[in-house]
Amino acid sequence: MPYNTKDWTEVERKGKGGWFKNAQAEKVFHTWPYKLSIEHKRRVIPSTGYFEPHYNPGGSKIPYYARVPGDEVFSIGGLWSSWTNPDTGEPIESYTMITIGANELMSEVHNGENNPFQMPFIIAEGDVERWLDPDLPVAEIERLFRKFPADGMEAYEVPKAM
């Protein structure tokens, strides 16, 4: 939730439409509300893997699980925001995941519906500290937006119950 959200009614209204689920790296410097956070409010989302739908020609979808084998936990880039509910004074911290154009493997998997051919922005292990530096120049932030190598990942079909 952006820090300048007016009230809880606005949160409920926008929340029903999937308010700011993911921030696309290609648009993050120019799209509200992400441009409010990208320069100084970056975060890491620790992950063991993530789910993506694969769309069949007939329209059905199959869930896939993607991970970085050999890394028990890897880092996904995100943005955070803090908002105070003006009615209650309650502070609410929120975050969003950044997505990037999919690598070869994930282009095969995430191939339809909303934002196809995107995947989470997986931060290279050696770049995590730089990503979290609040004084990192914009040009350096942009350089970090690289596709994670397809040969460093695996994705496989999982039961729909997952």
Side-chain angles (χ1 to χ4, degrees):
M1 293 185 305
Y3 74 90
N4 58 353
T5 301
K6 293 179 187 138
D7 57 30
W8 192 254
T9 306
E10 184 180 9
V11 172
E12 289 177 333
R13 180 175 55 82
K14 290 187 176 181
K16 290 179 182 172
W19 197 24
F20 310 124
K21 286 183 181 175
N22 295 329
Q24 291 182 354
E26 300 84 7
K27 301 176 182 177
V28 78
F29 289 98
H30 313 289
T31 305
W32 185 89
Y34 311 121
K35 66 183 180 180
L36 304 174
S37 298
I38 186 62
E39 289 189 43
H40 306 291
K41 294 184 175 183
R42 293 180 304 280
R43 66 156 302 161
V44 167
I45 304 165
S47 182
T48 57
Y50 61 94
F51 295 94
E52 290 286 7
H54 174 77
Y55 292 84
N56 291 320
S60 64
K61 60 184 178 179
I62 301 168
Y64 272 71
Y65 184 70
R67 67 187 199 102
V68 177
D71 285 348
E72 187 175 324
V73 177
F74 58 92
S75 299
I76 294 175
L79 305 174
W80 66 272
S81 181
S82 182
W83 177 72
T84 301
N85 185 330
D87 298 327
T88 65
E90 175 188 10
I92 297 176
E93 303 288 322
S94 62
Y95 70 94
T96 189
M97 175 177 64
I98 296 176
T99 61
I100 195 163
N103 62 27
E104 299 83 10
L105 172 65
M106 295 313 298
S107 288
E108 293 288 322
V109 173
H110 192 212
N111 63 343
E113 205 171 79
N114 297 331
N115 299 314
F117 312 114
Q118 291 282 116
M119 64 180 277
F121 163 51
I122 299 173
I123 305 170
E125 194 172 318
D127 290 335
V128 171
E129 284 188 42
R130 286 180 56 219
W131 173 254
L132 293 174
D133 178 355
D135 299 319
L136 192 66
V138 168
E140 290 298 311
I141 296 169
E142 290 174 331
R143 276 194 266 286
L144 291 175
F145 287 142
R146 295 185 303 269
K147 294 178 185 181
F148 195 83
D151 62 1
M153 298 181 69
E154 67 180 13
Y156 48 88
E157 186 177 335
V158 294
K160 288 185 179 186
M162 291 185 83

